[in-house]
Amino acid sequence: MVAITTAGYEGTTERQLYVLELEHPADIANGRELPAPHFACFIAWDARNAATEVVSALVEHILNAGASYISAWGPDCERVHDIADEIRSSLEAPADSADSVVMTTWHDHDSLEDALWFFLFNTVPDDSYGPTTRSGLAVTIGNRDWAAAIREVLQDPSAFAKHQEIRRDV
């Protein structure tokens, strides 16, 4: 079984942060339930060699689990984003949120640090999901170095924010 681990807490968005490290995208189906009822999701993945069906299955699982915002990073992340948009438009909207929108972004020209900054502090969901989006989930696929770097950032978002502010002031 693939385990979601608690990483930290981000006070500005009031979100509990989790990390899910996968070897393969299909492993997501073997994990325990994703944070509910809604969560912002960061996907770090080199999807260049992934078939469209594989990307679709991953994204559909994440959307069905309650993702209110999907932010993709890594090689071919724009395609992951585009597939997420296509799948979201084909899924039936919940009856209580027929007009709601799952937000999506991709960060192909950003560093991992910059993409994580966006994930932590700028993934503002549609108004209908705002009150129930109390979690942030970072999913890493096939790259332990990325997973370790993401876990370190999510364990202490305040220290990360201070480091980023200093870096940007220089």
Side-chain angles (χ1 to χ4, degrees):
M1 178 188 275
V2 177
I4 295 175
T5 58
T6 302
Y9 181 80
E10 202 297 294
T12 306
T13 59
E14 299 179 341
R15 291 184 189 157
Q16 186 64 51
L17 303 173
Y18 300 92
V19 175
L20 177 59
E21 184 178 349
L22 306 174
E23 280 298 314
H24 306 285
D27 293 341
I28 196 161
N30 301 325
R32 78 167 220 231
E33 288 187 33
L34 301 180
H38 298 109
F39 58 95
C41 186
F42 180 79
I43 302 171
W45 183 20
D46 181 347
R48 289 177 291 191
N49 296 321
T52 300
E53 298 77 25
V54 172
V55 178
S56 296
L58 173 84
V59 169
E60 187 169 349
H61 188 90
I62 290 169
L63 286 167
N64 285 332
S68 60
Y69 202 116
I70 295 177
S71 184
W73 177 84
D76 214 12
C77 63
E78 183 175 0
R79 184 170 68 105
V80 173
H81 162 271
D82 291 347
I83 291 171
D85 280 350
E86 286 178 32
I87 290 174
R88 178 57 182 124
S89 68
S90 70
L91 293 176
E92 185 176 321
D96 63 342
S97 59
D99 294 330
S100 62
V101 175
V102 172
M103 304 297 291
T104 59
T105 58
W106 76 94
H107 302 270
D108 60 344
H109 297 296
D110 292 340
S111 67
L112 178 57
E113 282 188 338
D114 288 344
L116 284 170
W117 173 270
F118 185 91
F119 168 66
L120 286 170
F121 305 108
N122 293 306
T123 51
V124 178
D126 183 80
D127 288 344
S128 61
Y129 292 118
T132 57
T133 300
R134 292 291 162 239
S135 301
L137 173 67
V139 178
T140 65
I141 302 169
N143 191 311
R144 291 178 188 229
D145 291 338
W146 291 352
I150 291 168
R151 187 176 313 281
E152 183 178 338
V153 167
L154 269 55
Q155 285 175 341
D156 193 350
S158 296
F160 173 69
K162 288 177 187 173
H163 170 76
Q164 289 297 95
E165 288 172 17
I166 292 168
R167 190 181 123 219
R168 291 172 188 206
D169 286 344
V170 174

